[in-house]
Amino acid sequence: MLWKKSWQPEAVLSLAGGIVAAFFFGNVAAGLLRQAGVSGFKHDDSPGCVLLATLSFHGAAVVLGTVFLKAHGMRWREVLDSTNWKRSLPLAVAALVVVAPAMFGLKFVSEIALQKLHWPVTDQRAVELIISAKSLWLRAYLVFFAIVLAPLAEEFVFRGLLFSAAKKFGWPKLGWLGASFLFALIHFNAPTFLPLFVFALALTW
């Protein structure tokens, strides 16, 4: 995996800062364009807003991640091929079988608790967008985003970058908990926060 390479802390912080900055400015730009009434940015689910929302974090992670890997003498192929698939795939399936019931249970409990607190219970924004997408190309893009772009970017940032960097610097438990917490937090959905946190703990393991 990536932590076998020797990284400079400054490079890791620069990459993380670049991704955060892209996410921030992408959302600010979408908000300003929406307020200005620019075509394609009139609503949160308009094509322009959707593209900026998805690419400002995940797209930036892939682009800046490519630059980061090149600076460390690596390519995406090496990252993706570095895992022992014959060993990891059965482990991943077994972990999912074990964790899935806990995730559904936590989601159920979270929804009940939020309802008691009069907190709105909604689906994840990505799920809502796929269901409500009016154009075929937008729905196709969102499916591609959910199946290909988002997993690639999130695995690289949270497990490949943050966790492995913390592990290399001598903080494996902090990296395990911290990266999983941020992974759940970045989805901005209260009912799925605890399930995603547990899911991320399993993915990191």
Side-chain angles (χ1 to χ4, degrees), residues 103-112 114-115 119-124 187-196:
M103 290 176 60
F104 284 113
L106 285 171
K107 185 174 186 293
F108 178 72
V109 172
S110 297
E111 289 177 348
I112 293 177
L114 289 170
Q115 288 172 355
W119 191 290
V121 177
T122 59
D123 290 327
Q124 288 191 55
H187 288 82
F188 300 111
N189 186 251
T192 59
F193 176 82
L194 283 178
L196 287 174

Side-chain angles (χ1 to χ4, degrees), residues 1 5-6 8 32 43 51 65 78 92 94 99 110-112 127 138 182 184 193:
M1 287 296 289
K5 297 293 289 186
S6 178
Q8 294 297 322
L32 292 174
H43 308 285
L51 287 174
E78 296 175 67
V99 173
S110 297
E111 289 177 348
I112 293 177
V127 177
L138 181 58
L182 290 174
F193 176 82

